[in-house]
Amino acid sequence: MKKIIGTSLLFLSFSVFGQTKEDSIQFNKISTEILNNGKGYIELKELTKTIGHRLSGSDSYEKAVKWAENKLKDAGADKVWLQEVMVPVWTRGKESLKIKVRDGKWLNLKMLSLGNSEGTGGKDISGEIIMVKSMEEYDKLLTEQVKDKIVFFNYPFRQSFIETFKGYSDAAKYRVNAAALTAKKGGKFAIIRSLSSAFDDVPHTGAMYYEDGGPQIPAVAIGNTTADELANYLKNNTVLAKLNSNCGMKGEKNSYSVIGEITGKKDKSVIVVGGHLDSWDIGEGAHDDGAGIVQSIEVLRTFKKLGIQNNHTIRVVCFANEENGVRGGVQYGKVAKENNEKHIFAIESDAGGFTPRGIALQMDNEKINQIKSWTELFFPYGVYNFEGRYSGTDLYPLHDMGVPTAELVPDSQRYFDIHHTEEDTFEKVNRRELLLGATTMTQIIYMIDKYW
Amino acid sequence: MKKIIGTSLLFLSFSVFGQTKEDSIQFNKISTEILNNGKGYIELKELTKTIGHRLSGSDSYEKAVKWAENKLKDAGADKVWLQEVMVPVWTRGKESLKIKVRDGKWLNLKMLSLGNSEGTGGKDISGEIIMVKSMEEYDKLLTEQVKDKIVFFNYPFRQSFIETFKGYSDAAKYRVNAAALTAKKGGKFAIIRSLSSAFDDVPHTGAMYYEDGGPQIPAVAIGNTTADELANYLKNNTVLAKLNSNCGMKGEKNSYSVIGEITGKKDKSVIVVGGHLDSWDIGEGAHDDGAGIVQSIEVLRTFKKLGIQNNHTIRVVCFANEENGVRGGVQYGKVAKENNEKHIFAIESDAGGFTPRGIALQMDNEKINQIKSWTELFFPYGVYNFEGRYSGTDLYPLHDMGVPTAELVPDSQRYFDIHHTEEDTFEKVNRRELLLGATTMTQIIYMIDKYW
């Protein structure tokens, strides 16, 4: 009953906002072109298998810059350029974490230093482990209880959230703040249970930050199985840990975001579609965020291939340094402001190359409602969820300038099994899921370009 | 705008059909219980890794019967029993397909005989290959063009359908009918391009059928890459093929569907939830349909664990022989009729253990509309699509008896990459996706049990 009434209301809305049979035909052309001839999947294979992971500041990131420049040209961009940006240079190097239970032998644990963490300078740092299960529990500890200890934050990823991004947000403070909190009470270093929805032993890295001027002690992550084992040892035993790591910040370096566009036929105002070109320094950065990069390039290619006359300039931005600084996103916003470039809409894909389900919208309610009025057009493509909410890291500088911003919302169930791990590889990406994401992005940009 | 109006209409519908805050709380309890404590994923690992594939008639199927019986008892069923059913016994044995291009050497092709196909009795059958790209093209061939030839049906899976089940339905006639059609014009055997959405070389088996009394010539499938290579050879060359296979129907055998139930507290009428226990004889039958089995058992376990008072009897049916005969489904319907058992609803899961998106409903419009009026309850769980359409193979006998039937609709993008292949393994199943499917099934049964 609801459906029937909903549909008739929608027909009413056609006259209010404009939406025609022609749009439905164009949606079909877009999906057919991308599902049959899309290059995103092959390009993702190239990026992940010939370049691999690509942390900003690394040589492989510079290779990715060249690669993206070429792909944007191949896709038919009228103009391709590099946008200079200063990025931090963080490197990992050799690292190991060992534990000793009572008078036993030192046992090696699978681990990863967190991104941005300082290491031990190649020396051993050791001490007794104390475990807390939550921030609240840690807050109750006195300084003398933490001093010279190693704090193990064993907060498990909450499985009960339906959208895993909520579980991620819930647990992220442990990764971001563990070192700073441990340092404040005189601890030697921090160990966190990985922000992982999987039931495995894969450690997840990701950005942590120190307080300005605070002590820079190391922070490392261990996988879920190791975390459970460690918790088990700690029940009845004194457990020592010994960390040796060479990671740390090695200054800054000039690098680039990569930008390509097709010029607007009526108007030079800009629609941005993007993802981030950098990744963590392990795995292949396939879902995070090779997927967003190749999907964005696919949007441009599809407009050219189908000969869709874009009123506005459609600009693909491959942002630098999202993972450990967001310098690319900030720089893009700054330059756009300096050049007085009018942006009418920006969308990013940075939640994995999984089947699309919706678009997160961060803009005024009138615009949100207009996009919602297009729901029936998207529904046959499995895209039904248009909600006003946060729209992604690289676009917040544009959002702060008043630009309506958006983010592709793919199915989130598998993302935090592999996010920031050695498991984020090309093999984990499904061709159709990836290309359907590119389809959704092309469709929304087609609508925005036509009606805004 | 539409959304807001839709919601207020829904509140109106509360009073019409009944749906309360209490239901929303119960939905949350169900999902939390299953996502935190669900056993489906561990049980699927047991089924796939200790038993593996389990074609009806095989010893491994009989092991699966015992396993399912035990799992239903563990889950807390009040009553567990085996329902006898006569099943066909089809076996594969050794098989090989070779080709020779002009005067070259015989090259081995990766292949699978189609299920139910007769083989060559261990002898070589060879001849020249002719290729058609569609049924229409085949229909135009004269008998003398096909006689003594090997027909290669090279019809590619259509990528452009958004729901891959439509692509599967579109291509299925080639698998089902290739042998019968080839035989009619005197061909020696048939080769089909696999019904596969992947861009790889994995052959997909699946059921084929002969015409009553028609010649029983062999039919085999090859993967997409091999099909492309073969098509390429055929452009300018005579290509011979040689098949040697031992597959074939080996009579019939007594076997069992496995059934367990929790007795209705108010009423003995039955709600069925099920999947099929058999699988093809390769891979592990993880998505097809181990997933449906463990999800159905999870429904029963969750009712017991949460102490939900079920008004009606909730019955889990693990159907025998869906893949090559549907004897279990037919027998279940027959016995239900003989015993005059009233069934008020039946739902199956047989489309893979992927993230749920909706429920297919095959029933009268009033009932469909009632279920649609519950959409807002399901929406937070990513389940939004309630459509009147086909509801699954094992339930059609119940449907034909007038029972309202339904099928879980998971995301379909990855299913036909691995369907009926050696790749349908436990590793391809994601824990959260699988358990969310069980959540949806438990939630819909909770609603039906309460309001019907």
Side-chain angles (χ1 to χ4, degrees):
Chain A
M1 193 177 71
K2 187 196 155 205
K3 177 87 182 247
I4 296 158
I5 296 169
T7 307
S8 62
L9 276 172
L10 194 76
F11 280 111
L12 221 153
S13 74
F14 278 19
S15 56
V16 183
F17 293 123
Q19 171 188 344
T20 64
K21 179 78 183 161
E22 190 188 297
D23 295 328
S24 160
I25 292 167
Q26 192 62 267
F27 268 44
N28 182 259
K29 280 187 190 163
I30 289 168
S31 82
T32 301
E33 167 58 23
I34 295 179
L35 288 172
N36 284 340
N37 307 317
K39 296 221 167 85
Y41 187 65
I42 302 160
E43 289 186 350
L44 185 63
K45 189 171 183 181
E46 274 180 32
L47 177 63
T48 53
K49 295 301 178 190
T50 68
I51 297 175
H53 60 68
R54 46 199 180 279
L55 187 61
S56 12
S58 68
D59 291 347
S60 58
Y61 182 77
E62 299 311 313
K63 283 182 200 160
V65 166
K66 290 257 176 303
W67 177 88
E69 201 182 353
N70 287 330
K71 291 299 144 186
L72 280 163
K73 286 177 189 165
D74 293 351
D78 297 327
K79 199 179 147 194
V80 178
W81 71 100
L82 306 185
Q83 183 171 79
E84 204 168 88
V85 55
M86 191 65 83
V87 298
V89 180
W90 181 81
T91 61
R92 182 175 301 278
K94 264 185 78 173
E95 54 188 13
S96 73
L97 175 67
K98 295 180 201 293
I99 59 165
K100 190 159 87 166
V101 183
R102 273 195 263 180
D103 303 324
K105 287 185 181 170
W106 284 103
L107 306 170
N108 231 339
L109 299 192
K110 207 170 161 185
M111 55 78 77
L112 281 175
S113 290
L114 294 180
N116 295 343
S117 173
E118 291 301 316
T120 68
K123 295 174 192 160
D124 286 347
I125 295 185
S126 58
E128 190 189 331
I129 303 179
I130 53 171
M131 181 180 91
V132 292
K133 285 188 181 155
S134 68
M135 222 41 118
E136 293 67 36
E137 208 181 305
Y138 181 75
D139 289 345
K140 285 180 196 150
L141 291 181
L142 303 173
T143 300
E144 55 260 42
Q145 292 174 288
V146 177
K147 195 165 163 27
D148 292 334
K149 297 284 197 310
I150 288 139
V151 182
F152 169 35
F153 291 87
N154 189 23
Y155 183 80
F157 192 96
R158 296 290 184 247
Q159 290 290 342
S160 55
F161 290 107
I162 304 304
E163 287 184 53
T164 59
F165 277 88
K166 291 185 181 163
Y168 180 65
S169 299
D170 169 67
K173 57 180 176 289
Y174 291 89
R175 189 188 73 205
V176 173
N177 302 323
L181 289 167
T182 301
K184 265 191 188 165
K185 294 184 181 175
K188 286 184 171 174
F189 66 91
I191 302 173
I192 67 155
R193 185 185 182 101
S194 287
L195 276 55
S196 166
S197 54
F199 285 60
D200 63 17
D201 201 31
V202 178
H204 295 228
T205 190
M208 53 79 68
Y209 294 97
Y210 295 112
E211 289 194 354
D212 281 346
Q216 302 201 335
I217 66 167
V220 306
I222 56 177
N224 279 328
T225 314
T226 294
D228 288 339
E229 284 168 8
L230 181 53
N232 211 27
Y233 287 137
L234 283 163
K235 270 184 196 161
N236 303 304
N237 301 288
T238 299
V239 184
L240 302 180
K242 182 161 72 182
L243 177 67
N244 190 312
S245 62
N246 292 280
C247 61
M249 207 55 91
K250 308 282 160 37
E252 298 191 334
K253 183 183 167 181
N254 245 333
S255 187
Y256 305 94
S257 294
V258 184
I259 305 177
E261 67 183 29
I262 42 178
T263 316
K265 307 299 179 284
K266 287 197 182 161
D267 181 341
K268 297 295 172 280
S269 62
V270 177
I271 293 172
V272 160
V273 54
H276 64 86
L277 190 55
D278 63 310
S279 78
W280 279 109
D281 62 327
I282 46 166
E284 296 171 358
H287 278 290
D288 187 15
D289 183 27
I293 292 294
V294 300
Q295 287 171 329
S296 298
I297 298 171
E298 195 84 61
V299 171
L300 191 151
R301 178 188 298 113
T302 305
F303 265 80
K304 290 291 280 192
K305 179 82 181 289
L306 296 180
I308 304 171
Q309 293 298 298
N310 54 308
N311 296 326
H312 309 278
T313 292
I314 295 172
R315 181 180 291 173
V316 176
V317 185
C318 307
F319 292 100
N321 183 234
E322 190 271 346
E323 292 296 4
N324 63 333
V326 201
R327 304 274 188 97
V330 170
Q331 180 69 5
Y332 182 84
K334 193 171 157 233
V335 172
K337 205 170 200 170
E338 284 167 5
N339 294 347
N340 241 327
E341 285 181 330
K342 190 183 170 201
H343 282 67
I344 65 164
F345 179 73
I347 183 168
E348 70 172 82
S349 164
D350 185 18
F354 307 101
T355 312
R357 285 181 160 252
I359 300 174
L361 305 167
Q362 202 169 12
M363 56 193 70
D364 65 47
N365 279 335
E366 199 189 331
K367 287 201 163 57
I368 290 176
N369 287 333
Q370 184 181 4
I371 292 174
K372 279 186 180 174
S373 79
W374 300 334
T375 303
E376 272 339 73
L377 271 173
F378 284 96
F379 198 84
Y381 301 89
V383 173
Y384 62 96
N385 196 354
F386 298 86
E387 279 180 36
R389 61 180 188 186
Y390 181 68
S391 64
T393 310
D394 280 315
L395 299 184
Y396 84 74
L398 285 178
H399 172 73
D400 286 351
M401 289 159 57
V403 178
T405 54
E407 185 174 18
L408 184 70
V409 179
D411 192 279
S412 75
Q413 299 311 320
R414 287 173 282 150
Y415 195 46
F416 293 102
D417 284 7
I418 51 113
H419 180 246
H420 296 177
T421 73
E422 64 188 11
E423 304 274 310
D424 182 6
T425 59
F426 176 71
E427 289 73 15
K428 296 292 189 327
V429 179
N430 176 272
R431 179 183 179 275
R432 290 183 55 87
E433 294 189 352
L434 179 77
L435 295 181
L436 280 173
T439 299
T440 303
M441 299 224 289
T442 310
Q443 290 167 335
I444 188 73
I445 289 176
Y446 160 79
M447 292 298 284
I448 300 280
D449 181 65
K450 184 168 173 184
Y451 293 109
W452 282 17
Chain B
M1 195 177 72
K2 187 197 156 206
K3 175 88 181 246
I4 296 158
I5 296 168
T7 307
S8 61
L9 276 171
L10 195 76
F11 281 112
L12 220 153
S13 75
F14 278 20
S15 56
V16 183
F17 293 124
Q19 171 187 344
T20 63
K21 179 79 184 161
E22 188 187 298
D23 296 329
S24 161
I25 292 167
Q26 193 61 268
F27 268 44
N28 181 258
K29 280 187 190 162
I30 290 167
S31 81
T32 301
E33 167 58 25
I34 295 178
L35 288 171
N36 284 339
N37 307 317
K39 295 220 168 87
Y41 187 66
I42 302 160
E43 289 186 351
L44 184 63
K45 188 169 183 182
E46 274 180 32
L47 177 63
T48 53
K49 296 301 177 190
T50 66
I51 297 174
H53 60 68
R54 48 201 178 275
L55 187 61
S56 10
S58 67
D59 291 346
S60 57
Y61 181 78
E62 299 311 313
K63 282 181 201 160
V65 166
K66 290 258 176 303
W67 176 88
E69 202 182 352
N70 287 331
K71 292 299 144 186
L72 281 163
K73 285 176 189 166
D74 293 350
D78 298 325
K79 199 179 147 193
V80 178
W81 72 99
L82 305 185
Q83 183 170 79
E84 204 167 88
V85 56
M86 191 65 83
V87 298
V89 180
W90 181 82
T91 60
R92 181 176 301 278
K94 265 185 78 173
E95 55 188 12
S96 73
L97 176 66
K98 295 178 201 292
I99 59 165
K100 190 160 88 167
V101 184
R102 273 196 266 180
D103 302 325
K105 286 184 181 169
W106 284 104
L107 306 170
N108 231 340
L109 299 192
K110 207 169 162 184
M111 55 77 78
L112 282 174
S113 290
L114 293 180
N116 295 341
S117 173
E118 291 301 316
T120 68
K123 293 175 193 159
D124 286 347
I125 295 184
S126 58
E128 188 189 331
I129 302 179
I130 54 170
M131 182 180 89
V132 292
K133 286 188 182 154
S134 68
M135 224 40 119
E136 295 66 36
E137 207 180 304
Y138 181 76
D139 289 344
K140 286 179 194 149
L141 292 181
L142 303 172
T143 300
E144 54 261 43
Q145 291 174 288
V146 177
K147 195 167 162 25
D148 293 333
K149 297 285 198 307
I150 289 138
V151 183
F152 170 35
F153 291 87
N154 189 23
Y155 182 80
F157 192 97
R158 296 291 185 246
Q159 290 289 343
S160 54
F161 290 106
I162 304 302
E163 287 184 53
T164 59
F165 277 87
K166 290 184 181 162
Y168 180 66
S169 300
D170 169 68
K173 57 181 175 290
Y174 291 90
R175 189 187 73 204
V176 173
N177 302 323
L181 290 167
T182 301
K184 266 191 187 164
K185 294 184 181 175
K188 287 184 172 175
F189 66 90
I191 303 173
I192 67 154
R193 185 187 183 99
S194 287
L195 277 56
S196 167
S197 53
F199 285 60
D200 63 17
D201 201 30
V202 178
H204 295 228
T205 190
M208 54 79 68
Y209 293 97
Y210 295 112
E211 289 192 353
D212 281 347
Q216 303 201 333
I217 67 167
V220 305
I222 56 176
N224 279 328
T225 315
T226 294
D228 289 339
E229 284 169 7
L230 180 54
N232 210 28
Y233 287 137
L234 284 162
K235 270 184 194 160
N236 303 303
N237 301 286
T238 299
V239 183
L240 301 181
K242 182 161 72 181
L243 177 68
N244 191 311
S245 62
N246 291 281
C247 61
M249 209 54 92
K250 308 283 161 36
E252 298 191 332
K253 183 183 167 181
N254 245 333
S255 187
Y256 305 94
S257 295
V258 185
I259 305 177
E261 67 184 29
I262 41 178
T263 315
K265 307 299 179 283
K266 286 197 181 161
D267 180 342
K268 296 295 172 281
S269 61
V270 177
I271 293 172
V272 161
V273 54
H276 63 86
L277 190 55
D278 63 311
S279 78
W280 279 108
D281 62 327
I282 46 165
E284 295 171 358
H287 278 290
D288 189 13
D289 184 27
I293 292 296
V294 299
Q295 286 171 330
S296 299
I297 298 172
E298 195 83 61
V299 172
L300 191 152
R301 177 186 299 113
T302 305
F303 265 79
K304 289 291 280 192
K305 178 82 181 288
L306 296 181
I308 303 171
Q309 291 299 298
N310 54 307
N311 296 325
H312 309 278
T313 292
I314 296 173
R315 181 180 290 173
V316 176
V317 186
C318 307
F319 292 100
N321 184 234
E322 191 271 347
E323 291 296 4
N324 64 333
V326 201
R327 303 275 187 95
V330 170
Q331 181 69 6
Y332 182 84
K334 192 171 157 237
V335 171
K337 205 170 199 168
E338 283 166 6
N339 295 348
N340 242 325
E341 286 182 329
K342 190 182 170 200
H343 282 68
I344 64 164
F345 180 73
I347 183 167
E348 71 172 80
S349 165
D350 185 18
F354 307 101
T355 311
R357 284 180 160 254
I359 301 173
L361 305 168
Q362 202 168 11
M363 55 193 70
D364 66 46
N365 280 335
E366 198 189 332
K367 286 202 163 57
I368 290 176
N369 288 334
Q370 183 182 6
I371 291 174
K372 278 186 179 174
S373 79
W374 301 334
T375 302
E376 287 314 91
L377 270 174
F378 284 96
F379 198 85
Y381 301 88
V383 173
Y384 62 96
N385 195 354
F386 298 87
E387 279 179 37
R389 61 180 189 187
Y390 181 69
S391 64
T393 310
D394 280 314
L395 300 184
Y396 84 74
L398 285 178
H399 172 75
D400 286 351
M401 288 159 58
V403 178
T405 55
E407 185 175 17
L408 185 70
V409 179
D411 192 279
S412 75
Q413 299 310 320
R414 286 173 282 150
Y415 196 46
F416 293 102
D417 284 7
I418 51 111
H419 183 244
H420 296 176
T421 73
E422 64 189 9
E423 304 274 309
D424 183 6
T425 59
F426 176 70
E427 288 73 15
K428 295 292 189 326
V429 179
N430 175 273
R431 179 183 178 276
R432 290 183 55 86
E433 295 188 354
L434 179 77
L435 295 182
L436 281 173
T439 298
T440 304
M441 299 224 290
T442 310
Q443 289 168 336
I444 187 73
I445 289 176
Y446 160 78
M447 291 299 283
I448 300 281
D449 181 64
K450 183 168 173 183
Y451 294 107
W452 282 17

